[in-house]
Amino acid sequence: MANIKSAEKQNRQAEKAKARNRATKSKLRSTMKKTRAAISEGAAATSQELMSGTFSAIDKAAKKKVIKKNTANRLKSRLAAAAKRSVAK
């Protein structure tokens, strides 16, 4: 446990940041799960609508440095490819 005032403050800030990051990442996972479900069902209109929101959530998470930029691009690319495959069927 920290004894120095600045270290205690840093611990408090780290806890707040951790909670924020967890919430953002959890929200991101939820939207991605919904989008993947819509894609696998083959609902084109619903999946396109959800993909827009998911891409936005991915970009926001990358902007907040919750996930890395390359990870964000990879996730978006894989979702888009999955959507394209489902439409082609």
Side-chain angles (χ1 to χ4, degrees), residues 15-62:
E15 285 298 318
K16 284 181 185 178
K18 187 168 144 186
R20 262 195 314 270
N21 291 342
R22 274 190 180 170
T24 303
K25 205 166 218 182
S26 175
K27 221 176 279 187
L28 176 63
R29 284 195 197 111
S30 298
T31 57
M32 287 182 65
K33 190 184 271 190
K34 287 177 190 172
T35 305
R36 283 194 194 112
I39 289 170
S40 65
E41 288 173 8
T46 310
S47 65
Q48 284 294 359
E49 189 177 303
L50 285 172
M51 276 191 39
S52 173
T54 303
F55 280 12
S56 177
I58 291 171
D59 287 335
K60 284 177 184 174

Side-chain angles (χ1 to χ4, degrees), residues 52-71:
S52 173
T54 303
F55 280 12
S56 177
I58 291 171
D59 287 335
K60 284 177 184 174
K63 185 178 178 185
K64 293 176 183 176
K65 305 258 193 307
V66 175
I67 59 173
K68 293 182 179 180
K69 192 168 80 170
N70 197 54
T71 302

